[in-house]
Amino acid sequence: MSQTIRYTLLSLRDLLVSVGPFVVLAVSLLGLAYWWLDPNPPKHVTLATGPEQSAYEAFGQRYAELLAKDGITVKLLPSEGSADNLRLLREGKADLGFVRGGTTQADDPADAGLESLGSLFLEPVWLFYREAAAPANTTPPQTLESLTQLQGLRVNVGTPGSGIPNLMAKLLDSNHIDAAQLTLSELGQTPATVALLAGELDAIVFASAPESSLVQMLLQTPGIKLMDFAMSEAYSRRFSFLSPAVLPRGVVDLAANIPPHNVRLVAPTTTLLARTETHPALVQLFALAGNTIHGGAGWFKHAREFPNVKNNELPLAQEAERSIQGGAPLLQRYLSFWMANLVERMWLAMGIILAVLLPLSRVIPPLYAFRVRSRIFRWYAQLRELENRAEDTTDTAPLLEELNQLDRHAEKISVPLSYTEELYALRNNIQLVRKKLQRTGTH
């Protein structure tokens, strides 16, 4: 190995040893910041959806497909509906869930650990009835426009977990209708639909987005009509969680003119709720997925009308608000989700660490110089001891032998070329002490 390569490797070794403590400190601080900030979310999350063939189930599947592209596995947890989803969230059995407006209350202590990811869509109250079961004395005949016309009919109001029985109780009470005047049942959506088509029920009530396959089917089934809530504006004034909505004429099937006229409905707004301990990155991903899933035009909305930050009964998550209003963060438009998320959540910590380490980095050059010079300066202690011992004796032969050994060691010292001046200074000082010993030995 040539001397040049040897000196270069030696300099690199000294530099690495000098920088080592600085690197260890930097890595330790980064590790501590990573542990404290927990930037990367879990790869599994549970989403409470709804009954089979419901819009909640369909939307849940679309969320799962979108988040799978970013390596997140979404477990879909079927439920009876909105109220059941709220229970699952409160009990910690689900991380997120679809909840209809009017199900929660802002001042309920049980909901203190929940937050909203924004309003996603209107979920109209659909009251389908058999035309043959409707009273013949209505105008037009066998057409329902008021809840008071349900008296004496067999009506299914859905399972308790769906939240519809509670909603219907409020609506019936506002119309001064005694529930005993109706024959009420609490079947699920699918069995209730089967019973309606079989003539075992006269009417069924459920709340769902128009994307529901049951809604699509019933709107096009002969002999089945959709009740027109003629007083939809009045309902929205009486109940803050309800909004008036209109199903436009022909929107279901333009060629068949279904429905044959505008149908007035009342509609709660459905939100996506999350537990407050849900990782912020997951909240961001779900909010961004919501922009894609719910941002298009529909029967009851214009394009980009939803998701929005309105009509939230619970506090809105900051990550969701930023995603709804600003879209995907800049880095996520060019980097993978995991890399962009790591940088986004660690940049502040990295800036603080850099501000701390920059002043400390000034220690590295003096430390490097000290390490190189220490290989030279440690021999000065032995040289001074020899010189001191020479003053107390006239027999300098043993001292000269020790000095020769010290000189041989000095010849083997390797230092970078920039520090050879100190090495030659040591060897010159050894020569001075040798001359002094030789003079002492001749006297």
Side-chain angles (χ1 to χ4, degrees), residues 229-261:
F229 281 80
M231 296 181 287
S232 59
E233 284 287 348
Y235 282 114
S236 68
R237 305 296 174 86
R238 292 286 299 273
F239 302 99
S240 60
F241 56 86
L242 292 178
S243 300
V246 175
L247 184 66
R249 174 183 175 179
V251 72
V252 179
D253 191 327
L254 289 170
N257 193 28
I258 300 175
H261 53 78

Side-chain angles (χ1 to χ4, degrees), residues 140-160:
Q142 295 184 312
T143 300
L144 301 183
E145 290 186 343
S146 172
L147 293 179
T148 57
Q149 297 171 325
L150 292 175
Q151 297 183 61
L153 300 184
R154 298 166 296 175
V155 182
N156 185 80
V157 294
T159 59

Side-chain angles (χ1 to χ4, degrees), residues 40-100:
N40 285 331
K43 294 188 176 182
H44 296 81
V45 63
T46 302
L47 172 63
T49 55
E52 293 183 1
Q53 300 183 7
S54 67
Y56 286 178
E57 181 188 49
F59 285 136
Q61 291 172 352
R62 294 186 64 186
Y63 275 97
E65 291 171 2
L66 285 179
L67 267 70
K69 297 178 181 179
D70 291 311
I72 305 295
T73 301
V74 180
K75 177 185 176 183
L76 302 180
L77 183 60
S79 68
E80 295 183 2
S82 180
D84 199 25
N85 288 348
L86 183 60
R87 176 187 62 81
L88 293 171
L89 287 168
R90 288 170 173 173
E91 295 176 357
K93 296 179 180 179
D95 301 302
L96 301 101
F98 299 109
V99 177
R100 186 184 307 113

